[in-house]
Amino acid sequence: MNQGATKSVSQSTIQRTLLRLGLRSRRLVRAPMLTAVHRRRRLEFARQYSSWTSTEWRQVAFSDESRFMLHRTDGRWRIRRETSERNHPATIAGTVQAGGGSIMVWGMFSWHSLGSLIIVEGTMDQYKYASVLADHVHPYMRIVFPQDDGIFQQDNARCHTAASVRAWFEEHQDEFTVLPWPANSPDLNPIEHLWDHLDRVVRAMDPQPRNLAQLATALESAWLNIPENTFRDLCDSLPARLAAVRSAKGLRQGGFSSPNTAVRLSRDVSTGHNVGSSSHGKVESQENRGPSHVCHYSKEDHPIRHIPVAHRTATAATSMNRSKSRMENNLGREPAQRLVVVARH
């Protein structure tokens, strides 16, 4: 913009020019760092599953953990005030130490149904995760995918890749498969949008939760009332997500700031794939599966459950045996006590 060494422009002129060009001041996006190895593996993943349509992705149950703070203090609020009003009560956002506490939750869902929302005491470790697998993942996969054609997705957190957890999955490999997932790729997991949905719903509540118990109740209510089309559209957006990663050469894909954007992009991606084929060899086309079963967890059937903290001195094998025993007890109950199944013909 300068015209020669002796010409200069004011700062306000530069700011107006940048605004006219659409270059506004924005915060850096916080996201897991991607190394060259991460980019390569993300690109390999996107290429490996490039032939999958929404039909195949409807056989995948997505899962993840997330943490919700009682009082969010992200500093994003903006107000307009006079200089003398700096300390006016109406212009102060009160803060509390550590945000007043937080709650970690674990959840899962597929195109067919929402799964349980679990309150995790403290931080998820391999022992608590073993309880989740036995008490929630296994029954869900057995009921929602009765033909043993389900695929379970999880990220690469340490508690998910512990030796005892890998052994549990090997014991159940005939019932469902585990989807290999690229590291540092939360942008590919559609459940992240459900966490955002829960956060927006809870923040819009009046009155706001005042303690962690009320926050847990609010999260449970928001989870149980997620519209069916919301999580179904998210599952159907996977082909578009992977297409965006391929276009970005493994970098973080953009354009998914909202589920609606992902759905719009998914309509524009043409895969030209035979929906009856799959690299897992277990996924069939929806037409070949017969009447679809839409499964819904009710509040009474699947309340939020607290995962007890296992003794740190317990070995992984002992913990897995306890989890297996709980799983067998759960499977001995009538499915109708845990799940309401609605068949659509």
Side-chain angles (χ1 to χ4, degrees):
M1 289 180 287
N2 289 346
Q3 298 178 359
T6 60
K7 298 292 184 179
S8 63
V9 294
S10 65
Q11 182 177 352
S12 59
T13 299
I14 295 176
Q15 291 176 343
R16 287 196 302 270
T17 303
L18 292 175
L19 289 175
R20 188 171 65 251
L21 295 174
L23 300 176
R24 296 182 176 275
S25 175
R26 303 180 188 276
R27 291 180 176 84
L28 293 175
V29 176
R30 299 177 62 88
M33 183 177 297
L34 293 178
T35 65
V37 175
H38 293 148
R39 290 181 56 185
R40 184 179 72 251
R41 291 178 178 174
R42 283 165 55 88
L43 185 57
E44 291 172 352
F45 178 84
R47 288 173 175 171
Q48 179 180 356
Y49 294 94
S50 62
S51 60
W52 277 29
T53 65
S54 58
T55 301
E56 283 82 8
W57 289 110
R58 290 178 182 183
Q59 299 304 111
V60 179
F62 298 93
S63 68
D64 195 18
E65 297 92 3
S66 185
R67 186 173 293 278
F68 293 85
M69 297 182 64
L70 181 61
H71 300 292
R72 183 172 55 184
T73 55
D74 57 9
R76 294 182 180 180
W77 292 353
R78 292 287 188 270
I79 61 172
R80 294 186 181 274
R81 61 170 175 80
E82 297 181 0
T83 305
S84 60
E85 296 177 332
R86 173 182 174 83
N87 294 318
H88 191 281
T91 66
I92 297 176
T95 62
V96 293
Q97 187 175 6
S102 62
I103 290 178
M104 173 173 279
V105 300
W106 176 94
M108 69 179 295
F109 82 103
S110 68
W111 185 90
H112 303 278
S113 170
L114 285 174
S116 300
L117 183 72
I118 310 299
I119 300 296
V120 181
E121 295 180 354
T123 303
M124 182 75 82
D125 58 25
Q126 61 176 312
Y127 307 113
K128 298 174 189 176
Y129 195 55
S131 298
V132 170
L133 292 175
D135 295 342
H136 299 278
V137 173
H138 189 263
Y140 180 95
M141 301 300 288
R142 287 283 301 272
I143 296 172
V144 177
F145 304 104
Q147 299 181 14
D148 296 337
D149 57 354
I151 304 169
F152 180 68
Q153 179 274 339
Q154 62 176 5
D155 61 22
N156 297 283
R158 289 186 178 182
C159 60
H160 300 167
T161 58
S164 57
V165 173
R166 294 199 305 269
W168 188 91
F169 282 121
E170 290 177 0
E171 293 178 3
H172 298 85
Q173 60 184 348
D174 293 335
E175 301 174 62
F176 60 89
T177 57
V178 179
L179 181 67
W181 197 253
N184 285 12
S185 299
D187 56 315
L188 296 180
N189 192 344
I191 202 172
E192 296 294 335
H193 289 295
L194 294 189
W195 300 143
D196 291 340
H197 174 84
L198 261 61
D199 186 70
R200 290 193 301 271
V201 171
V202 171
R203 299 306 167 189
M205 290 181 175
D206 187 17
Q208 284 284 290
R210 301 178 63 87
N211 52 54
L212 294 182
Q214 292 181 5
L215 177 59
T217 301
L219 290 171
E220 176 189 14
S221 175
W223 177 265
L224 294 174
N225 288 283
I226 294 177
E228 183 180 83
N229 65 296
T230 296
F231 61 81
R232 286 189 167 184
D233 287 346
L234 287 174
C235 290
D236 289 343
S237 72
L238 262 298
R241 294 171 184 264
L242 297 186
V245 172
R246 292 192 297 272
S247 298
K249 304 300 182 184
L251 288 174
R252 208 169 307 282
Q253 43 87 15
F256 292 106
S257 58
S258 68
N260 291 334
T261 306
V263 173
R264 286 198 301 271
L265 285 177
S266 66
R267 297 193 185 106
D268 297 334
V269 176
S270 176
T271 58
H273 171 56
N274 180 4
V275 297
S277 62
S278 165
S279 61
H280 284 273
K282 289 187 176 182
V283 180
E284 300 175 348
S285 66
Q286 195 69 19
E287 292 77 13
N288 295 334
R289 296 187 63 203
S292 62
H293 291 77
V294 182
C295 308
H296 301 275
Y297 287 91
S298 67
K299 180 176 180 180
E300 292 75 16
D301 296 332
H302 275 265
I304 287 184
R305 298 182 56 185
H306 290 264
I307 304 301
V309 179
H311 293 290
R312 297 291 179 177
T313 57
T315 62
T318 302
S319 178
M320 293 305 296
N321 288 335
R322 289 200 301 268
S323 300
K324 186 175 181 180
S325 177
R326 283 193 296 269
M327 176 195 70
E328 293 172 348
N329 291 335
N330 282 340
L331 294 180
R333 305 171 190 166
E334 290 295 329
Q337 296 177 357
R338 304 192 310 273
L339 197 65
V340 178
V341 182
V342 180
R344 289 186 176 180
H345 300 281

